[in-house]
Amino acid sequence: MRLRSLVAVLAASAIALTGCSGDTEAAGDSTVRVGVTPQPHGEILQYVKDNLAEQAGISIEIKQFNDYNRPNAAVLHGELDATYHQHKPFLKTYEQERGGDLVWVAPVHLEPLGLYSKKYSSPQEIPNGATITIPNDPSNRARSLKLLEDKGLITLKPGAGQEAGVRDIAENPRNLQLQELSASQIPRTLQDAAAAVVNGNYALKADLDKPIAIESPKGNPYVNGLVTSSAKQDNPEIAKLAELLTSQEVTDFIKREYGGQFVIPAS
């Protein structure tokens, strides 16, 4: 009888432990692993994690990267569930060049590109033959060229769009030398150039002063947003995260934290 009682107790304990293990796994299922660049994406997502996620019933694990390509690769390899660091043109170019099946989920904010200089206070002051550094990834390269065109420094060929390159420059009256660098490297080399086109997140990270020219947010296609894999696009936790990132609370946080200049909520 004692032996039977002991077996019964052990069996009940095993069932209880199995149940606990299952509960832990179920709870773990609500964790969303998200790849971000530190500023502003990591800061915005940290605000969501600290202030909104628990009430919404999800847990957020944040993984920071200092380049634009590795977060997408991590999602495709199953190491992450989503990324929050890119805009649609960059996503399109990434898939064309590297493959993969990624899905745009929701727009969150815009980081207007800025033209920065430690030597000149306006685009008009930049002299003939000066060097301007621009990002070398295709989507931000085209975006940079459009900014330079809008400020009267160059003219692009008719029809040059979101994949424009230096080859698409029709007129360069000042004979400007455009040097292409990784977007993350450009702030560190600003002192060596007449001016540089810098992405908003890297301008924030480098604590740059006010730009001498800035990209217009009106009708801008380069809004940053949440991206996942096609396999996880119907995941309810991804949907909850998208809802939080586009909430009024996050909109107010972005306005309060970044002052409406370097980071602008998606409209």
Side-chain angles (χ1 to χ4, degrees):
M1 289 296 293
R2 290 180 180 177
L3 179 60
R4 289 179 182 176
S5 299
L6 179 59
V7 170
V9 169
L10 291 174
S13 298
I15 292 172
L17 288 172
T18 302
C20 290
S21 176
D23 290 344
T24 300
E25 290 177 4
D29 289 343
S30 67
T31 298
V32 185
R33 302 164 299 166
V34 188
V36 297
T37 46
Q39 289 181 302
H41 309 81
E43 296 170 342
I44 295 170
L45 193 58
Q46 189 67 49
Y47 171 81
V48 172
K49 178 178 179 177
D50 293 342
N51 298 277
L52 306 175
E54 184 176 357
Q55 187 175 355
I58 63 172
S59 175
I60 301 173
E61 181 180 326
I62 301 173
K63 173 67 174 178
Q64 294 192 357
F65 296 84
N66 288 314
D67 70 80
Y68 292 147
N69 293 314
R70 288 194 298 152
N72 282 339
V75 169
L76 292 171
H77 292 152
E79 299 164 7
L80 295 175
D81 301 305
T83 73
Y84 167 40
H85 79 292
Q86 66 196 308
H87 45 63
K88 281 185 176 180
F90 181 88
L91 175 61
K92 179 181 177 181
T93 300
Y94 181 91
E95 290 186 310
Q96 289 174 341
E97 294 185 348
R98 298 170 182 256
D101 193 2
L102 296 166
V103 178
W104 179 266
V105 179
V108 181
H109 75 267
L110 171 69
E111 299 167 27
L113 283 185
L115 181 65
Y116 294 84
S117 178
K118 292 185 177 295
K119 303 173 183 178
Y120 307 103
S121 58
S122 73
Q124 290 69 37
E125 293 180 7
I126 297 174
N128 292 343
T131 296
I132 297 178
T133 52
I134 64 175
N136 63 4
D137 59 281
S139 58
N140 285 309
R141 179 195 300 128
R143 209 175 154 189
S144 300
L145 294 174
K146 183 65 170 63
L147 173 60
L148 297 180
E149 181 181 50
D150 289 344
K151 303 309 173 184
L153 295 173
I154 62 172
T155 301
L156 295 173
K157 296 175 183 177
Q162 294 180 359
E163 298 179 359
V166 175
R167 66 187 180 281
D168 296 301
I169 296 176
E171 298 179 15
N172 185 359
R174 302 191 198 184
N175 193 31
L176 298 172
Q177 307 301 306
L178 301 183
Q179 181 181 5
E180 298 181 20
L181 297 172
S182 170
S184 62
Q185 295 178 348
I186 291 179
R188 296 196 299 270
T189 62
L190 182 56
Q191 61 186 9
D192 299 322
V197 179
V198 184
N199 293 69
N201 59 320
Y202 291 125
L204 279 169
K205 184 177 181 180
D207 196 25
L208 297 182
D209 293 331
K210 186 176 179 180
I212 62 174
I214 197 165
E215 186 180 34
S216 172
K218 191 173 182 179
N220 196 307
Y222 297 101
V223 173
N224 285 230
L226 185 67
V227 171
T228 189
S229 64
S230 59
K232 297 186 177 181
Q233 61 180 319
D234 296 324
N235 185 306
E237 279 70 39
I238 297 292
K240 287 181 182 178
L241 178 56
E243 183 178 345
L244 295 180
L245 283 169
T246 56
S247 65
Q248 186 62 48
E249 290 91 340
V250 170
T251 294
D252 293 342
F253 171 78
I254 291 173
K255 291 179 178 178
R256 183 172 65 250
E257 188 73 10
Y258 304 108
Q261 178 175 331
F262 297 112
V263 185
I264 301 171
S267 55

